[in-house]
Amino acid sequence: MVEFPDGTRVHGRGLARPNPDGPEPDFGLYLGTSRLRRKHGGGITWPHEWVTWPDFLLPVHPETARDQIKALHERAKTETVEVACYGGAGRTGTVMACLAILSGVPADEAVAWTRAHYHERAVETPWQRGWVKSFAKRLD
């Protein structure tokens, strides 16, 4: 569980690993393709949404993904939420960095903050790092 500077808390994980610590979330945001959804989405029984986001790449529909990330941040203020992709580092880390920005971390520090507080390999690719910066620029 990651606690952001604004007090919101989000659990990040990989769908390849079961959620061992605690009760089911109130809501989940899951990142992947239809193949991942078919393979690992069947056990998700709580309210959730999917962002079509291929491994190591960027969301297929960036504006929709931005809206879903902002909505997840709002939900995190009052609900138990999680975000997950297959491995839990690249795509999940990218969303965690965006959540860090929404919680007040400066955009140029968001990836480092996420690596320090969530996962040392978070935001795996240069284009994911670029997407975090573009996320911050499109908040207004």
PDB file of all heavy atoms in Angstrom, residues 68-101:
ATOM      1  N   GLN A  68      -9.551   8.011 -16.207  1.00  0.00           N
ATOM      2  CA  GLN A  68      -9.673   6.898 -15.269  1.00  0.00           C
ATOM      3  C   GLN A  68      -8.681   7.027 -14.109  1.00  0.00           C
ATOM      4  O   GLN A  68      -9.002   6.693 -12.972  1.00  0.00           O
ATOM      5  CB  GLN A  68      -9.490   5.568 -16.000  1.00  0.00           C
ATOM      6  CG  GLN A  68     -10.661   5.234 -16.913  1.00  0.00           C
ATOM      7  CD  GLN A  68     -10.391   4.024 -17.770  1.00  0.00           C
ATOM      8  OE1 GLN A  68      -9.510   4.052 -18.633  1.00  0.00           O
ATOM      9  NE2 GLN A  68     -11.141   2.964 -17.538  1.00  0.00           N
ATOM     10  N   ILE A  69      -7.487   7.515 -14.385  1.00  0.00           N
ATOM     11  CA  ILE A  69      -6.489   7.712 -13.322  1.00  0.00           C
ATOM     12  C   ILE A  69      -6.947   8.817 -12.376  1.00  0.00           C
ATOM     13  O   ILE A  69      -6.852   8.679 -11.150  1.00  0.00           O
ATOM     14  CB  ILE A  69      -5.106   8.012 -13.931  1.00  0.00           C
ATOM     15  CG1 ILE A  69      -4.591   6.780 -14.691  1.00  0.00           C
ATOM     16  CG2 ILE A  69      -4.112   8.443 -12.856  1.00  0.00           C
ATOM     17  CD1 ILE A  69      -3.397   7.048 -15.595  1.00  0.00           C
ATOM     18  N   LYS A  70      -7.470   9.904 -12.928  1.00  0.00           N
ATOM     19  CA  LYS A  70      -7.977  10.980 -12.064  1.00  0.00           C
ATOM     20  C   LYS A  70      -9.153  10.488 -11.224  1.00  0.00           C
ATOM     21  O   LYS A  70      -9.245  10.810 -10.029  1.00  0.00           O
ATOM     22  CB  LYS A  70      -8.379  12.195 -12.908  1.00  0.00           C
ATOM     23  CG  LYS A  70      -7.172  12.912 -13.504  1.00  0.00           C
ATOM     24  CD  LYS A  70      -7.528  14.228 -14.142  1.00  0.00           C
ATOM     25  CE  LYS A  70      -8.002  14.048 -15.548  1.00  0.00           C
ATOM     26  NZ  LYS A  70      -8.186  15.317 -16.281  1.00  0.00           N
ATOM     27  N   ALA A  71     -10.026   9.681 -11.813  1.00  0.00           N
ATOM     28  CA  ALA A  71     -11.160   9.132 -11.059  1.00  0.00           C
ATOM     29  C   ALA A  71     -10.681   8.181  -9.963  1.00  0.00           C
ATOM     30  O   ALA A  71     -11.240   8.161  -8.859  1.00  0.00           O
ATOM     31  CB  ALA A  71     -12.127   8.424 -12.005  1.00  0.00           C
ATOM     32  N   LEU A  72      -9.627   7.404 -10.247  1.00  0.00           N
ATOM     33  CA  LEU A  72      -9.076   6.512  -9.225  1.00  0.00           C
ATOM     34  C   LEU A  72      -8.540   7.320  -8.047  1.00  0.00           C
ATOM     35  O   LEU A  72      -8.753   6.958  -6.883  1.00  0.00           O
ATOM     36  CB  LEU A  72      -7.956   5.649  -9.826  1.00  0.00           C
ATOM     37  CG  LEU A  72      -7.349   4.619  -8.885  1.00  0.00           C
ATOM     38  CD1 LEU A  72      -8.347   3.503  -8.589  1.00  0.00           C
ATOM     39  CD2 LEU A  72      -6.065   4.040  -9.471  1.00  0.00           C
ATOM     40  N   HIS A  73      -7.872   8.426  -8.343  1.00  0.00           N
ATOM     41  CA  HIS A  73      -7.363   9.286  -7.276  1.00  0.00           C
ATOM     42  C   HIS A  73      -8.508   9.816  -6.414  1.00  0.00           C
ATOM     43  O   HIS A  73      -8.412   9.836  -5.181  1.00  0.00           O
ATOM     44  CB  HIS A  73      -6.550  10.439  -7.875  1.00  0.00           C
ATOM     45  CG  HIS A  73      -5.963  11.339  -6.852  1.00  0.00           C
ATOM     46  ND1 HIS A  73      -6.434  12.611  -6.617  1.00  0.00           N
ATOM     47  CD2 HIS A  73      -4.943  11.140  -5.980  1.00  0.00           C
ATOM     48  CE1 HIS A  73      -5.726  13.156  -5.645  1.00  0.00           C
ATOM     49  NE2 HIS A  73      -4.814  12.293  -5.240  1.00  0.00           N
ATOM     50  N   GLU A  74      -9.585  10.227  -7.040  1.00  0.00           N
ATOM     51  CA  GLU A  74     -10.751  10.704  -6.277  1.00  0.00           C
ATOM     52  C   GLU A  74     -11.329   9.592  -5.412  1.00  0.00           C
ATOM     53  O   GLU A  74     -11.662   9.806  -4.249  1.00  0.00           O
ATOM     54  CB  GLU A  74     -11.822  11.272  -7.220  1.00  0.00           C
ATOM     55  CG  GLU A  74     -11.464  12.621  -7.790  1.00  0.00           C
ATOM     56  CD  GLU A  74     -11.215  13.678  -6.719  1.00  0.00           C
ATOM     57  OE1 GLU A  74     -12.042  13.820  -5.796  1.00  0.00           O
ATOM     58  OE2 GLU A  74     -10.169  14.347  -6.799  1.00  0.00           O
ATOM     59  N   ARG A  75     -11.462   8.398  -5.967  1.00  0.00           N
ATOM     60  CA  ARG A  75     -11.987   7.261  -5.197  1.00  0.00           C
ATOM     61  C   ARG A  75     -11.089   6.934  -4.009  1.00  0.00           C
ATOM     62  O   ARG A  75     -11.571   6.542  -2.952  1.00  0.00           O
ATOM     63  CB  ARG A  75     -12.104   6.026  -6.084  1.00  0.00           C
ATOM     64  CG  ARG A  75     -13.292   6.006  -6.997  1.00  0.00           C
ATOM     65  CD  ARG A  75     -13.256   4.709  -7.821  1.00  0.00           C
ATOM     66  NE  ARG A  75     -14.408   4.530  -8.635  1.00  0.00           N
ATOM     67  CZ  ARG A  75     -15.489   3.837  -8.294  1.00  0.00           C
ATOM     68  NH1 ARG A  75     -15.570   3.257  -7.124  1.00  0.00           N
ATOM     69  NH2 ARG A  75     -16.497   3.714  -9.129  1.00  0.00           N
ATOM     70  N   ALA A  76      -9.774   7.089  -4.202  1.00  0.00           N
ATOM     71  CA  ALA A  76      -8.817   6.752  -3.139  1.00  0.00           C
ATOM     72  C   ALA A  76      -8.993   7.633  -1.909  1.00  0.00           C
ATOM     73  O   ALA A  76      -8.529   7.277  -0.831  1.00  0.00           O
ATOM     74  CB  ALA A  76      -7.390   6.848  -3.670  1.00  0.00           C
ATOM     75  N   LYS A  77      -9.663   8.759  -2.065  1.00  0.00           N
ATOM     76  CA  LYS A  77      -9.902   9.644  -0.923  1.00  0.00           C
ATOM     77  C   LYS A  77     -10.898   9.044   0.063  1.00  0.00           C
ATOM     78  O   LYS A  77     -10.861   9.374   1.246  1.00  0.00           O
ATOM     79  CB  LYS A  77     -10.395  11.005  -1.411  1.00  0.00           C
ATOM     80  CG  LYS A  77      -9.340  11.766  -2.192  1.00  0.00           C
ATOM     81  CD  LYS A  77      -9.885  13.059  -2.751  1.00  0.00           C
ATOM     82  CE  LYS A  77      -8.814  13.783  -3.563  1.00  0.00           C
ATOM     83  NZ  LYS A  77      -9.327  15.034  -4.157  1.00  0.00           N
ATOM     84  N   THR A  78     -11.786   8.156  -0.419  1.00  0.00           N
ATOM     85  CA  THR A  78     -12.838   7.618   0.452  1.00  0.00           C
ATOM     86  C   THR A  78     -12.991   6.106   0.383  1.00  0.00           C
ATOM     87  O   THR A  78     -13.761   5.537   1.146  1.00  0.00           O
ATOM     88  CB  THR A  78     -14.204   8.251   0.097  1.00  0.00           C
ATOM     89  OG1 THR A  78     -14.505   7.960  -1.266  1.00  0.00           O
ATOM     90  CG2 THR A  78     -14.182   9.754   0.331  1.00  0.00           C
ATOM     91  N   GLU A  79     -12.283   5.456  -0.543  1.00  0.00           N
ATOM     92  CA  GLU A  79     -12.438   4.019  -0.742  1.00  0.00           C
ATOM     93  C   GLU A  79     -11.077   3.330  -0.734  1.00  0.00           C
ATOM     94  O   GLU A  79     -10.048   3.970  -0.919  1.00  0.00           O
ATOM     95  CB  GLU A  79     -13.100   3.729  -2.101  1.00  0.00           C
ATOM     96  CG  GLU A  79     -14.491   4.294  -2.266  1.00  0.00           C
ATOM     97  CD  GLU A  79     -15.033   4.040  -3.664  1.00  0.00           C
ATOM     98  OE1 GLU A  79     -14.881   2.915  -4.183  1.00  0.00           O
ATOM     99  OE2 GLU A  79     -15.604   4.977  -4.246  1.00  0.00           O
ATOM    100  N   THR A  80     -11.098   2.021  -0.566  1.00  0.00           N
ATOM    101  CA  THR A  80      -9.907   1.199  -0.716  1.00  0.00           C
ATOM    102  C   THR A  80      -9.802   0.838  -2.190  1.00  0.00           C
ATOM    103  O   THR A  80     -10.706   0.210  -2.742  1.00  0.00           O
ATOM    104  CB  THR A  80     -10.011  -0.076   0.140  1.00  0.00           C
ATOM    105  OG1 THR A  80     -10.190   0.300   1.501  1.00  0.00           O
ATOM    106  CG2 THR A  80      -8.772  -0.930  -0.005  1.00  0.00           C
ATOM    107  N   VAL A  81      -8.708   1.264  -2.836  1.00  0.00           N
ATOM    108  CA  VAL A  81      -8.559   1.036  -4.270  1.00  0.00           C
ATOM    109  C   VAL A  81      -7.223   0.369  -4.571  1.00  0.00           C
ATOM    110  O   VAL A  81      -6.284   0.446  -3.784  1.00  0.00           O
ATOM    111  CB  VAL A  81      -8.678   2.353  -5.075  1.00  0.00           C
ATOM    112  CG1 VAL A  81     -10.029   3.015  -4.840  1.00  0.00           C
ATOM    113  CG2 VAL A  81      -7.550   3.312  -4.766  1.00  0.00           C
ATOM    114  N   GLU A  82      -7.186  -0.270  -5.730  1.00  0.00           N
ATOM    115  CA  GLU A  82      -5.931  -0.853  -6.200  1.00  0.00           C
ATOM    116  C   GLU A  82      -5.792  -0.606  -7.686  1.00  0.00           C
ATOM    117  O   GLU A  82      -6.767  -0.367  -8.395  1.00  0.00           O
ATOM    118  CB  GLU A  82      -5.830  -2.338  -5.881  1.00  0.00           C
ATOM    119  CG  GLU A  82      -6.611  -3.264  -6.753  1.00  0.00           C
ATOM    120  CD  GLU A  82      -6.266  -4.739  -6.509  1.00  0.00           C
ATOM    121  OE1 GLU A  82      -5.494  -5.074  -5.585  1.00  0.00           O
ATOM    122  OE2 GLU A  82      -6.789  -5.562  -7.263  1.00  0.00           O
ATOM    123  N   VAL A  83      -4.541  -0.678  -8.129  1.00  0.00           N
ATOM    124  CA  VAL A  83      -4.205  -0.601  -9.549  1.00  0.00           C
ATOM    125  C   VAL A  83      -3.239  -1.745  -9.826  1.00  0.00           C
ATOM    126  O   VAL A  83      -2.389  -2.056  -8.993  1.00  0.00           O
ATOM    127  CB  VAL A  83      -3.614   0.774  -9.942  1.00  0.00           C
ATOM    128  CG1 VAL A  83      -2.347   1.084  -9.183  1.00  0.00           C
ATOM    129  CG2 VAL A  83      -3.387   0.865 -11.444  1.00  0.00           C
ATOM    130  N   ALA A  84      -3.419  -2.413 -10.986  1.00  0.00           N
ATOM    131  CA  ALA A  84      -2.562  -3.562 -11.279  1.00  0.00           C
ATOM    132  C   ALA A  84      -2.462  -3.796 -12.779  1.00  0.00           C
ATOM    133  O   ALA A  84      -3.404  -3.552 -13.532  1.00  0.00           O
ATOM    134  CB  ALA A  84      -3.118  -4.821 -10.609  1.00  0.00           C
ATOM    135  N   CYS A  85      -1.305  -4.293 -13.167  1.00  0.00           N
ATOM    136  CA  CYS A  85      -1.068  -4.822 -14.513  1.00  0.00           C
ATOM    137  C   CYS A  85      -0.558  -6.249 -14.292  1.00  0.00           C
ATOM    138  O   CYS A  85      -0.670  -6.776 -13.188  1.00  0.00           O
ATOM    139  CB  CYS A  85      -0.082  -3.958 -15.290  1.00  0.00           C
ATOM    140  SG  CYS A  85       1.577  -3.858 -14.562  1.00  0.00           S
ATOM    141  N   TYR A  86       0.022  -6.860 -15.301  1.00  0.00           N
ATOM    142  CA  TYR A  86       0.490  -8.235 -15.124  1.00  0.00           C
ATOM    143  C   TYR A  86       1.602  -8.340 -14.079  1.00  0.00           C
ATOM    144  O   TYR A  86       1.510  -9.093 -13.127  1.00  0.00           O
ATOM    145  CB  TYR A  86       0.953  -8.839 -16.450  1.00  0.00           C
ATOM    146  CG  TYR A  86       1.429 -10.253 -16.278  1.00  0.00           C
ATOM    147  CD1 TYR A  86       0.517 -11.298 -16.110  1.00  0.00           C
ATOM    148  CD2 TYR A  86       2.785 -10.558 -16.237  1.00  0.00           C
ATOM    149  CE1 TYR A  86       0.946 -12.589 -15.921  1.00  0.00           C
ATOM    150  CE2 TYR A  86       3.226 -11.856 -16.056  1.00  0.00           C
ATOM    151  CZ  TYR A  86       2.304 -12.873 -15.892  1.00  0.00           C
ATOM    152  OH  TYR A  86       2.736 -14.160 -15.688  1.00  0.00           O
ATOM    153  N   GLY A  87       2.659  -7.567 -14.254  1.00  0.00           N
ATOM    154  CA  GLY A  87       3.806  -7.688 -13.359  1.00  0.00           C
ATOM    155  C   GLY A  87       3.810  -6.714 -12.188  1.00  0.00           C
ATOM    156  O   GLY A  87       4.461  -6.941 -11.182  1.00  0.00           O
ATOM    157  N   GLY A  88       3.110  -5.598 -12.347  1.00  0.00           N
ATOM    158  CA  GLY A  88       3.007  -4.637 -11.258  1.00  0.00           C
ATOM    159  C   GLY A  88       4.077  -3.565 -11.232  1.00  0.00           C
ATOM    160  O   GLY A  88       4.142  -2.796 -10.278  1.00  0.00           O
ATOM    161  N   ALA A  89       4.920  -3.465 -12.270  1.00  0.00           N
ATOM    162  CA  ALA A  89       6.006  -2.480 -12.235  1.00  0.00           C
ATOM    163  C   ALA A  89       5.841  -1.374 -13.273  1.00  0.00           C
ATOM    164  O   ALA A  89       5.740  -0.205 -12.926  1.00  0.00           O
ATOM    165  CB  ALA A  89       7.355  -3.173 -12.417  1.00  0.00           C
ATOM    166  N   GLY A  90       5.819  -1.732 -14.547  1.00  0.00           N
ATOM    167  CA  GLY A  90       5.827  -0.717 -15.603  1.00  0.00           C
ATOM    168  C   GLY A  90       4.546   0.080 -15.710  1.00  0.00           C
ATOM    169  O   GLY A  90       4.518   1.285 -15.443  1.00  0.00           O
ATOM    170  N   ARG A  91       3.465  -0.572 -16.120  1.00  0.00           N
ATOM    171  CA  ARG A  91       2.192   0.128 -16.276  1.00  0.00           C
ATOM    172  C   ARG A  91       1.641   0.584 -14.930  1.00  0.00           C
ATOM    173  O   ARG A  91       1.213   1.733 -14.789  1.00  0.00           O
ATOM    174  CB  ARG A  91       1.185  -0.773 -17.004  1.00  0.00           C
ATOM    175  CG  ARG A  91       1.587  -1.048 -18.443  1.00  0.00           C
ATOM    176  CD  ARG A  91       0.775  -2.154 -19.061  1.00  0.00           C
ATOM    177  NE  ARG A  91       1.202  -3.457 -18.525  1.00  0.00           N
ATOM    178  CZ  ARG A  91       0.749  -4.618 -18.956  1.00  0.00           C
ATOM    179  NH1 ARG A  91      -0.166  -4.666 -19.914  1.00  0.00           N
ATOM    180  NH2 ARG A  91       1.194  -5.749 -18.444  1.00  0.00           N
ATOM    181  N   THR A  92       1.680  -0.303 -13.949  1.00  0.00           N
ATOM    182  CA  THR A  92       1.193   0.067 -12.614  1.00  0.00           C
ATOM    183  C   THR A  92       2.047   1.195 -12.049  1.00  0.00           C
ATOM    184  O   THR A  92       1.522   2.159 -11.485  1.00  0.00           O
ATOM    185  CB  THR A  92       1.208  -1.151 -11.673  1.00  0.00           C
ATOM    186  OG1 THR A  92       0.335  -2.150 -12.219  1.00  0.00           O
ATOM    187  CG2 THR A  92       0.752  -0.786 -10.277  1.00  0.00           C
ATOM    188  N   GLY A  93       3.354   1.105 -12.211  1.00  0.00           N
ATOM    189  CA  GLY A  93       4.237   2.170 -11.740  1.00  0.00           C
ATOM    190  C   GLY A  93       3.971   3.484 -12.436  1.00  0.00           C
ATOM    191  O   GLY A  93       4.043   4.556 -11.818  1.00  0.00           O
ATOM    192  N   THR A  94       3.641   3.433 -13.719  1.00  0.00           N
ATOM    193  CA  THR A  94       3.324   4.649 -14.461  1.00  0.00           C
ATOM    194  C   THR A  94       2.082   5.307 -13.886  1.00  0.00           C
ATOM    195  O   THR A  94       2.047   6.524 -13.667  1.00  0.00           O
ATOM    196  CB  THR A  94       3.142   4.327 -15.965  1.00  0.00           C
ATOM    197  OG1 THR A  94       4.364   3.749 -16.457  1.00  0.00           O
ATOM    198  CG2 THR A  94       2.801   5.565 -16.758  1.00  0.00           C
ATOM    199  N   VAL A  95       1.064   4.511 -13.594  1.00  0.00           N
ATOM    200  CA  VAL A  95      -0.148   5.071 -12.970  1.00  0.00           C
ATOM    201  C   VAL A  95       0.168   5.596 -11.575  1.00  0.00           C
ATOM    202  O   VAL A  95      -0.299   6.668 -11.192  1.00  0.00           O
ATOM    203  CB  VAL A  95      -1.285   4.023 -12.940  1.00  0.00           C
ATOM    204  CG1 VAL A  95      -2.456   4.508 -12.087  1.00  0.00           C
ATOM    205  CG2 VAL A  95      -1.748   3.718 -14.356  1.00  0.00           C
ATOM    206  N   MET A  96       0.993   4.883 -10.819  1.00  0.00           N
ATOM    207  CA  MET A  96       1.360   5.364  -9.489  1.00  0.00           C
ATOM    208  C   MET A  96       2.079   6.711  -9.574  1.00  0.00           C
ATOM    209  O   MET A  96       1.853   7.595  -8.750  1.00  0.00           O
ATOM    210  CB  MET A  96       2.226   4.338  -8.763  1.00  0.00           C
ATOM    211  CG  MET A  96       1.477   3.066  -8.409  1.00  0.00           C
ATOM    212  SD  MET A  96       0.194   3.346  -7.181  1.00  0.00           S
ATOM    213  CE  MET A  96       0.689   2.191  -5.944  1.00  0.00           C
ATOM    214  N   ALA A  97       2.938   6.891 -10.577  1.00  0.00           N
ATOM    215  CA  ALA A  97       3.626   8.173 -10.751  1.00  0.00           C
ATOM    216  C   ALA A  97       2.617   9.275 -11.087  1.00  0.00           C
ATOM    217  O   ALA A  97       2.742  10.407 -10.601  1.00  0.00           O
ATOM    218  CB  ALA A  97       4.698   8.059 -11.839  1.00  0.00           C
ATOM    219  N   CYS A  98       1.622   8.948 -11.897  1.00  0.00           N
ATOM    220  CA  CYS A  98       0.571   9.931 -12.209  1.00  0.00           C
ATOM    221  C   CYS A  98      -0.233  10.270 -10.953  1.00  0.00           C
ATOM    222  O   CYS A  98      -0.573  11.438 -10.719  1.00  0.00           O
ATOM    223  CB  CYS A  98      -0.342   9.394 -13.311  1.00  0.00           C
ATOM    224  SG  CYS A  98       0.482   9.223 -14.909  1.00  0.00           S
ATOM    225  N   LEU A  99      -0.520   9.276 -10.140  1.00  0.00           N
ATOM    226  CA  LEU A  99      -1.220   9.526  -8.868  1.00  0.00           C
ATOM    227  C   LEU A  99      -0.363  10.394  -7.946  1.00  0.00           C
ATOM    228  O   LEU A  99      -0.890  11.243  -7.215  1.00  0.00           O
ATOM    229  CB  LEU A  99      -1.579   8.206  -8.189  1.00  0.00           C
ATOM    230  CG  LEU A  99      -2.617   7.347  -8.911  1.00  0.00           C
ATOM    231  CD1 LEU A  99      -2.686   5.962  -8.283  1.00  0.00           C
ATOM    232  CD2 LEU A  99      -3.986   8.012  -8.893  1.00  0.00           C
ATOM    233  N   ALA A 100       0.950  10.181  -7.977  1.00  0.00           N
ATOM    234  CA  ALA A 100       1.848  11.016  -7.167  1.00  0.00           C
ATOM    235  C   ALA A 100       1.731  12.473  -7.595  1.00  0.00           C
ATOM    236  O   ALA A 100       1.667  13.382  -6.749  1.00  0.00           O
ATOM    237  CB  ALA A 100       3.286  10.515  -7.300  1.00  0.00           C
ATOM    238  N   ILE A 101       1.674  12.718  -8.902  1.00  0.00           N
ATOM    239  CA  ILE A 101       1.498  14.083  -9.405  1.00  0.00           C
ATOM    240  C   ILE A 101       0.184  14.666  -8.912  1.00  0.00           C
ATOM    241  O   ILE A 101       0.136  15.803  -8.433  1.00  0.00           O
ATOM    242  CB  ILE A 101       1.580  14.099 -10.945  1.00  0.00           C
ATOM    243  CG1 ILE A 101       3.010  13.791 -11.401  1.00  0.00           C
ATOM    244  CG2 ILE A 101       1.106  15.434 -11.506  1.00  0.00           C
ATOM    245  CD1 ILE A 101       3.138  13.466 -12.879  1.00  0.00           C
TER     246      ILE A 101
END
